[in-house]
Amino acid sequence: MPRRPSRPPGILRWLAARLVRGAEAPYVLGDLDEAWGRDVGRGLTRFRASRRYLRNTLASAWSLARPPRIGVSLLDLKLGLRMLRRQPALTGVAVFALSAGIPVGMIPIHLAQVFSAELPFDEGDRILRIQTVDLERSRAMERQLRDYRLWREELESFVELGAASAETRNIGAEEGRASPVRGSAMTASLFELLRVAPHLGRPLHEADEVPGAPDVVVISHDLWTSRLAGAPDVIGRRILVGSVRHEVVGVMPEGFLFPHRDHFWIPFRADPLRHDWGSGPWVGVYGRLAEGVTIAQANVELNAISLRLATEQPVTHGSLSARASLVAGSDVLASPMFWVLQSLALLLLVIACGNVGILILARTATRRGEIAVRTALGANRARIVGQLFTEALVLAVLGAGFGLMTGDFVATRIEAALGPQDMPFWLDLGVTWHTALTALGLATLSAGVAGVLPALKATSRGVQGSLQRASAGVSGIRFGGLATLLIVAEVALATTFLAIGGQIIPSVLQDPEDGMAIAPDEYLTATLQLPFGASGSAVVEEDTTAYRTRVRTAQGELLRRLSDESGVRGVALGSRLPGEDHTSTVVEVEGADEGSFEVRIASVHIDFFRALGQAPVWGRGFNRADVVALQGDGRTAVVVNESFVEDALRGRDPVGQRVRLWVPEDEEPRPWLEIVGVVGHLGMNEMNPDRDAGLYLPVALGELNPVRLAVHLGTDPVSFIPELRRITASVDADAIIEDPMTVPDLVRASDVRVGWFWSGVLATVIAAVAVVLSAAGLFALVSFTVSERRREIGIRTALGAQVQSIVTAIGRRAFVQLTIGVIAGLLLRGVLDLELSLADDPAIHEIGQVTLLAVASLATIGTGLIACLPPLLRALRIRPIEVLKEV
Amino acid sequence: MGYLGEFEQLILFSVLDLGDDAYGVSIRENIEERTGREVSSGAIYTALGRLQGRGFVSSRVGEPTEGRVGRPRKFYRVEPAGARALRSTYETVQAMAGGLLPKLIELAES
C-alpha cells in the first residue's frame, strides 16, 4: 500500500487556511505544504519544519493582507452619484445615520479645539488668573482684595498684576431707555498687562483710580456703535453709568470684552486696606507671567505665600491656597478623560458606519453580476474596492455636510440657551474651517469602515470565485454575528429610548399655562436689583444699613409709582413668580403620620396675592401684622396652596395647622409656622401643575434684592417695558430692570423646562436614529436573504409552498432579532429607570408604565415589520418559471 | 523602462535561473540558497503579481500534485520586457559600481 505523503500538523494547516487570504491563497497554501514536505525530506525534524512553516505562514499572511492600493477615478464618482439617485432609500438612511454619527464622533475634539483657544491678545498664553481656593470646602474664594494687594507687592513671577470686579449698570438712563449693561471696575494695570490698544482715546490710567478723580469710562466697540451710533466725537462725551455721569475716555477695539463679556470699564477704586482679610467685593485677579517663568514656577511662589498667610491669618486663610492657571486655552488634549470620551464618540460613529456597511454589503450582494462582469472585463480587486469606497465616500461626505449643518444649528441653540453672557467672549462653538476639515477626515474614515470593509469581504474570493458564484446566483457574502449584534442592539435602544422619550415629551408639550389661576398673558415680569455699592463710581463701599434703607425705599417707591400708572392693576413682588422654577424644600407637618413632605417654596411681599387677583380660597392672605411679626419674633404665618392641603394635610382643615421647614444641616429644629390661608394653583411647578404643592412665606420690602416683579397690565404687557425702565430709572438711576418678559415667555425660558426639553429631544433623537437604523438593518437582512435564496424560493413556490411558510423561512432571522432586541430594550429600560427614577420626578407627568412600554415595543416591532415588508413581498412575487429558466 | 526594486530584481533573476520550473517553492529556495535570505511565499506572490501587472512576467497554472494536498503550482516565466528592465537595472548598478569595489570593501571593513 503506497504510503500517504507526510503533511504538516492539522492545526498549522487550519491556521494557515484562515490567515492566508486573497486570490493567490491556493498557491501559497500549496507552497507551504510542499515546502514543509521538502524540509522534512531534507532531514529537518518535524518540529523545525513546523516552525519554518508557521513563520512562512505568518509572513505570507502579512504580505498578502496589505490593503490593495485603491484605484479611485472620476468614473467611480459618477457611478457613486448615480447610485444616490437610483437608490434613494439607501441614500436617505445612510446619510441620516452618518449625519448623526459624524457630529457625535467629533464633539469631543471640536470642544477641545474650542476650549483650547487662547486669549486673542499679544502672548495671550502668558496671561493667568489667580484664584484662592478653600481646600476644605473645595470652592473658590472670591473675596481676595487684600490678597491681591499682597500678591502685587510680593510676587516676582509676574510682570504685572491687575484686578477686575463685575459691575452691572444702567447705561443711558438720561434717554429714558436705560437698560442694564455688564461691565467691570478694572485696574489700569490690567489694561496694561493685556496689551490691547484702544480703538479710540485711551485706556484707564492709575490717576483715574485716585478717590476724587474725575469719573471716566472706557466703552466697548459694540456699546459705542449700538448706544452712541458710532459717533466719532465720542471721546469727552459724558454718559450716565448708573446714576453717575462719566466722561468717555476710550473705546476698545471690536471683540474686546474682557474679562467675560463686558461692555464698559470704570476705574477700580476699592481700597484693600479698608477691608479685612477674606472680605470686600468679589475680585478677579489676573497677571502676565514674567519672561522665562513657567506656570508651575509661579504656583510654587504663590504656594509659599499661601502657606505663610495660613499661619499669619489662620481664621480666614487657614484652609486657603492660591493657584494660577491660564485664563483661556486649557490643554484639554492632555486630559485622559478627553481621550476616553473621544474613543466613545468614535465608537458610536463606527456603530453608525457599521450600519451603513450592512446596507452597502446587502446591496453589494445584489450587485454580484455587475461585479463579476467588471472583474471578467479586467477590473482588479483594487478597482472594485475603489468603486465601492467612492460610493460610500459620496454618502459620507453628504452625511458630514448635513451633520455640520445640524451641529452648527445645535451650537447656535446651545449658545442661545446658555445666554450670550454665559459664554466667554473668545469662545465660539460654531463650525470653523478646522471643524469642517475634521468632519471631512471622519467622512473618509466612515467611508473606509462602511465601504471598504464590505467591499473587501465581497471580493475576498478572487475572480474565479466571483464568476462561479454569480453564475450560481449567490454572492458568497455572509451576514455575520457582528451584523446581528448591531441590529439587536439598535432594536433594544429604539425600544428603551422610545419609552424614555414617551415619558418626558408629554410633560414638555403640556401647556404650562394650563391650570394656572392667573391669566399669564396679562403680566409683565422682570428682575429688579439695586447693586451694592452702586452710588458713586466704581467700587466704593457704602454703609450696609444705609444701603438696605435705600433698597427698601426704592422698592416701596417703585410699587407706589407703578400702582399709580393707568392700566396697571397690581404689582407683585416675590422671590419667585407664577410659572417659573420654584425651589424645593422639605417641611414637617405637626401631628402628621407621614413625617416630611417635599414642597415648593416662595417668599412674597404681603400684597403678592392681591396683586395677582387671588383671593384666598380658605382663611386669609398676608397682612402687615405678619411682617411686623417677622421683624420682631421671626416668621409665624404661612400661606399654602390647594395641592399642599391635598398632599400634605390629606384634606384636613388647613387653617391653624402648623408646619416647619426641615433642613438636614440644622442643629436646632426651626420654629413652627402657622397656616393662615390657602390660595389656588399659581404655577409653583411650571412643568407639572398636578404636583405643585407649595407654601408662601411673607417678606418685608427691601428684604429681597434682587427681587422678582410681576406687573398686572391686562393687554399687551410687552409694550410697557420702556415705561417700566423709565419709571425705575426715575425712582433710582442705579436700580436695574433685567429680563423683562411675559409669563408665557418666562415659562418657556425656565431652566427646568429647557433642561427637560433637551433631554426629551436627546431621547427622541436617539430613539429615531435607533428606529431608522434597526429598520434599515432588518430591511437589508431580509432583502439580502431574498436575493441569496431566490432560486430556493422559486423552487419552493413551484412545489406548492404556502405564503406563510415562505415568509417564515425568509423572515425568521429578522423576526428573532426583532424579538430579542425588544426584550433586551425592555430590560434596559428597567435598569435605566432604577437610575433615572423618571416617574418620581415632580416635573414629569404620571403615565401608565405598562401602556408606555407596550406602545414603545409595538412601535419598534411595527417599524421593523414594515421594513421587512418590501423584500418579503418581492420574495412572494418571484415566479418559479423565471427562476427555473435561470438554472 | 521601469524601475525595479531590490526584491523584484532577486525574483526576476531567480525566475530566469529556474526556467520552466519557476514557482513559489522553487523561487523561495533559490533565493535562500543564493542569498541566505529567508523570504515568505506571500511576499514572493505579491511581488510576482506586481511584476505580472507590469508585463515583466507571465504565469500558468500547473496540475495539482499530491504533496500539495491537491493544490496546483503556479509557474512563472520572464517576459522580454522583464528581461530588458532587469538588464537595464543591472547595467546601471554595474556602471555606477565600476572600479569602486575595492574602495567599497576597504571602507566597509575599516
Side-chain angles (χ1 to χ4, degrees):
Chain A
M1 196 170 139
R3 199 169 162 227
R4 197 170 155 224
S6 123
R7 284 183 185 176
I11 179 77
L12 289 182
R13 298 186 66 239
W14 176 86
L15 186 71
R18 257 129 209 91
L19 290 178
V20 178
R21 310 302 288 257
E24 305 293 346
Y27 312 114
V28 175
L29 290 171
D31 281 5
L32 286 168
D33 286 346
E34 188 182 337
W36 190 87
R38 287 189 179 208
D39 283 346
V40 172
R42 271 205 304 269
L44 254 66
T45 62
R46 286 174 68 89
F47 174 75
R48 292 190 65 182
S50 297
R51 206 170 62 185
R52 267 172 66 84
Y53 183 99
L54 184 62
R55 211 160 48 221
N56 196 1
T57 300
L58 295 175
S60 297
W62 172 250
S63 299
L64 295 172
R66 280 182 194 160
R69 270 183 297 176
I70 296 170
V72 177
S73 70
L74 266 181
L75 175 67
D76 293 334
L77 196 64
K78 261 168 72 177
L79 287 172
L81 290 170
R82 193 181 298 162
M83 197 61 70
L84 295 182
R85 216 179 49 237
R86 281 175 51 193
Q87 297 189 317
L90 181 135
T91 304
V93 172
V95 170
F96 176 72
L98 293 171
S99 65
I102 289 176
V104 168
M106 58 190 295
I107 284 174
I109 187 76
H110 176 61
L111 290 181
Q113 283 165 4
V114 168
F115 286 103
S116 60
E118 288 173 7
L119 274 181
F121 306 146
D122 178 30
E123 291 188 293
D125 60 338
R126 299 192 65 77
I127 299 175
L128 308 186
R129 176 167 192 184
I130 305 178
Q131 277 186 301
T132 308
V133 179
D134 188 332
L135 298 175
E136 276 179 9
R137 295 177 186 173
S138 301
R139 67 178 184 205
M141 204 285 289
E142 307 274 4
R143 298 190 191 282
Q144 44 185 9
L145 192 56
R146 285 292 290 264
D147 308 67
Y148 163 64
R149 182 173 176 270
L150 183 74
W151 292 333
R152 199 157 181 228
E153 280 171 2
E154 295 194 3
L155 281 175
E156 289 178 359
S157 303
F158 295 87
V159 183
E160 184 56 279
L161 287 188
S165 174
E167 302 282 335
T168 301
R169 293 280 186 276
N170 284 327
I171 300 280
E174 68 269 45
E175 296 151 28
R177 57 183 183 91
S179 54
V181 175
R182 182 174 179 147
S184 280
M186 199 150 107
T187 61
S189 58
L190 188 44
F191 268 105
E192 197 177 316
L193 73 86
L194 294 177
R195 298 182 185 164
V196 180
H199 176 67
L200 291 175
R202 63 164 176 91
L204 295 173
H205 290 160
E206 277 196 23
D208 301 324
E209 293 169 12
V210 178
D215 291 316
V216 294
V217 63
V218 173
I219 59 174
S220 72
H221 194 276
D222 187 38
L223 193 66
W224 174 52
T225 50
S226 63
R227 294 289 181 89
L228 299 162
D233 60 345
V234 66
I235 303 300
R237 206 185 269 194
R238 295 177 67 77
I239 61 169
L240 264 183
V241 178
S243 58
V244 180
R245 232 163 246 291
H246 285 63
E247 181 187 337
V248 178
V249 294
V251 176
M252 293 309 285
E254 200 170 355
F256 180 94
L257 302 170
F258 195 84
H260 208 74
R261 274 188 183 268
D262 294 355
H263 288 279
F264 70 88
W265 299 272
I266 50 180
F268 188 91
R269 289 176 178 166
D271 180 1
L273 296 178
R274 283 191 56 192
H275 295 276
D276 290 331
W277 291 96
S279 67
W282 287 28
V283 172
V285 179
Y286 305 87
R288 181 178 282 278
L289 274 180
E291 198 66 43
V293 177
T294 63
I295 299 177
Q297 287 166 340
N299 274 319
V300 169
E301 196 186 3
L302 265 171
N303 199 36
I305 296 180
S306 295
L307 289 173
R308 200 185 79 217
L309 270 179
T311 317
E312 290 173 3
Q313 306 290 338
V315 178
T316 55
H317 285 62
S319 61
L320 300 186
S321 175
R323 251 191 93 68
S325 56
L326 280 171
V327 173
S330 51
D331 190 6
V332 183
L333 296 182
S335 151
M337 184 48 79
F338 163 76
W339 291 105
V340 171
L341 288 175
Q342 184 60 58
S343 306
L344 281 175
L346 284 180
L347 183 69
L348 289 175
L349 173 60
V350 169
I351 289 175
C353 293
N355 236 294
V356 178
I358 291 177
L359 290 174
I360 290 178
L361 187 63
R363 188 186 64 184
T364 309
T366 63
R367 290 166 68 185
R368 58 181 175 261
E370 177 200 328
I371 291 175
V373 169
R374 290 196 69 185
T375 311
L377 289 175
N380 58 16
R381 191 181 180 196
R383 197 74 190 69
I384 303 285
V385 172
Q387 185 196 335
L388 295 175
F389 170 74
T390 312
E391 288 175 15
L393 188 64
V394 170
L395 289 173
V397 168
L398 265 180
F402 279 113
L404 281 180
M405 283 195 282
T406 316
D408 201 43
F409 173 76
V410 172
T412 317
R413 304 305 306 164
I414 289 175
E415 277 178 341
L418 286 175
Q421 68 275 18
D422 290 330
M423 282 284 288
F425 70 92
W426 60 88
L427 296 187
D428 179 9
L429 283 181
V431 172
T432 59
W433 277 109
H434 212 293
T435 326
L437 282 177
T438 313
L440 204 61
L442 285 183
T444 313
L445 172 82
S446 309
V449 177
V452 173
L453 292 184
L456 288 176
K457 198 169 177 181
T459 56
S460 64
R461 304 205 178 175
V463 179
Q464 255 182 325
S466 64
L467 283 171
Q468 281 166 0
R469 287 190 306 274
S471 62
V474 294
S475 65
I477 299 170
R478 286 192 310 150
F479 254 66
L482 206 59
T484 304
L485 190 70
L486 211 57
I487 294 172
V488 169
E490 280 157 5
V491 172
L493 282 179
T495 313
T496 306
F497 282 92
L498 275 177
I500 292 178
Q503 185 143 26
I504 296 173
I505 294 294
S507 302
V508 177
L509 294 182
Q510 148 96 29
D511 185 353
E513 295 151 31
D514 276 1
M516 275 170 72
I518 62 165
D521 289 333
E522 297 180 357
Y523 290 84
L524 177 67
T525 71
T527 300
L528 169 69
Q529 186 183 8
L530 194 66
F532 185 73
S535 70
S537 59
V539 183
V540 172
E541 298 71 36
E542 286 187 33
D543 175 56
T544 308
T545 316
Y547 169 67
R548 284 197 176 155
T549 309
R550 187 175 166 203
V551 172
R552 188 165 59 244
T553 311
Q555 288 184 2
E557 178 64 9
L558 185 63
L559 265 183
R560 192 186 63 73
R561 291 276 301 275
L562 286 174
S563 304
D564 289 348
E565 283 291 309
S566 65
V568 173
R569 301 180 196 170
V571 182
L573 293 178
S575 61
R576 290 287 187 276
L577 295 175
E580 70 178 323
D581 306 332
H582 281 63
T583 41
S584 293
T585 189
V586 176
V587 294
E588 188 184 339
V589 178
E590 192 178 33
D593 301 331
E594 290 84 351
S596 57
F597 300 89
E598 190 174 337
V599 297
R600 307 288 169 138
I601 188 165
S603 300
V604 298
H605 182 241
I606 53 172
D607 283 332
F608 186 79
F609 303 116
R610 251 192 305 279
L612 296 175
Q614 297 299 304
V617 293
W618 218 326
R620 64 170 176 86
F622 292 123
N623 58 34
R624 204 162 293 277
D626 296 326
V627 180
V628 173
L630 166 74
Q631 286 163 343
D633 309 318
R635 277 173 248 270
T636 57
V638 289
V639 169
V640 297
N641 62 12
E642 287 175 304
S643 301
F644 187 98
V645 178
E646 288 161 24
D647 295 351
L649 300 177
R650 302 278 181 243
R652 281 176 306 200
D653 181 0
V655 176
Q657 299 277 356
R658 297 207 307 168
V659 296
R660 65 179 169 195
L661 306 184
W662 188 81
V663 181
E665 295 86 39
D666 285 353
E667 288 175 6
E668 293 278 316
R670 299 209 170 187
W672 288 104
L673 308 166
E674 186 182 336
I675 298 173
V676 295
V678 179
V679 291
H681 293 280
L682 287 176
M684 293 190 93
N685 178 358
E686 78 292 352
M687 285 288 290
N688 190 357
D690 294 336
R691 297 168 78 168
D692 77 336
L695 57 83
Y696 298 90
L697 300 168
V699 287
L701 278 179
E703 197 179 333
L704 297 171
N705 181 41
V707 65
R708 302 282 291 133
L709 175 85
V711 187
H712 189 188
L713 287 151
T715 53
D716 195 14
V718 176
S719 64
F720 190 70
I721 295 175
E723 197 59 11
L724 177 63
R725 288 198 188 286
R726 189 191 60 76
I727 296 170
T728 309
S730 67
V731 166
D732 190 323
D734 287 316
I736 294 167
I737 288 288
E738 284 180 305
D739 307 322
M741 61 180 86
T742 61
V743 173
D745 288 341
L746 179 71
V747 172
R748 273 189 282 277
S750 134
D751 286 346
V752 174
R753 178 168 291 272
V754 168
W756 280 112
F757 172 78
W758 284 105
S759 304
V761 167
L762 187 66
T764 310
V765 167
I766 295 175
V769 171
V771 165
V772 172
L773 292 187
S774 61
L778 290 166
F779 170 83
L781 173 65
V782 179
S783 190
F784 172 79
T785 312
V786 171
S787 157
E788 290 292 283
R789 294 170 68 179
R790 189 173 143 74
R791 290 185 181 174
E792 179 200 326
I793 298 165
I795 292 168
R796 277 179 175 234
T797 313
L799 292 174
Q802 297 294 310
V803 169
Q804 192 187 351
S805 70
I806 291 175
V807 168
T808 312
I810 301 299
R812 185 189 294 129
R813 196 170 156 192
F815 301 153
V816 169
Q817 289 179 3
L818 197 54
T819 312
I820 295 175
V822 168
I823 293 170
L826 292 176
L827 290 175
L828 181 65
R829 168 70 175 77
V831 172
L832 281 181
D833 199 43
L834 291 178
E835 289 296 319
L836 300 174
S837 305
L838 284 178
D840 295 337
D841 196 290
I844 298 298
H845 292 235
E846 281 177 34
I847 292 179
Q849 290 299 305
V850 176
T851 316
L852 184 70
L853 296 179
V855 170
S857 307
L858 286 176
T860 316
I861 292 172
T863 318
L865 291 180
I866 290 170
C868 296
L869 208 54
L872 283 175
L873 289 175
R874 203 166 70 231
L876 296 175
R877 279 200 298 269
I878 291 173
R879 291 190 182 170
I881 190 77
E882 285 176 9
V883 173
L884 292 172
K885 268 187 205 165
E886 294 168 10
V887 177
Chain B
M1 205 62 63
Y3 166 80
L4 287 172
E6 189 213 7
F7 190 58
E8 288 170 333
Q9 292 175 43
L10 295 185
I11 299 237
L12 278 178
F13 274 125
S14 180
V15 174
L16 197 65
D17 184 27
L18 291 164
D20 288 343
D21 193 35
Y23 70 101
V25 174
S26 62
I27 296 171
R28 181 165 171 256
E29 286 185 347
N30 186 274
I31 294 175
E32 281 183 11
E33 277 168 18
R34 283 168 166 258
T35 67
R37 277 170 58 172
E38 197 173 320
V39 293
S40 80
S41 305
I44 292 171
Y45 281 103
T46 306
L48 282 168
R50 227 165 28 231
L51 291 170
Q52 193 168 10
R54 295 164 73 184
F56 290 175
V57 295
S58 59
S59 68
R60 66 180 172 83
V61 176
E63 292 301 316
T65 59
E66 206 175 359
R68 299 169 62 91
V69 204
R71 292 194 176 98
R73 289 172 176 158
K74 195 174 186 181
F75 292 97
Y76 289 86
R77 198 179 70 184
V78 178
E79 291 296 314
R84 282 194 294 274
L86 187 59
R87 192 178 77 181
S88 163
T89 309
Y90 182 64
E91 285 172 354
T92 307
V93 172
Q94 272 201 321
M96 284 303 294
L100 291 175
L101 200 58
K103 199 174 175 182
L104 192 65
I105 293 169
E106 189 190 341
L107 192 64
E109 291 178 352
S110 63

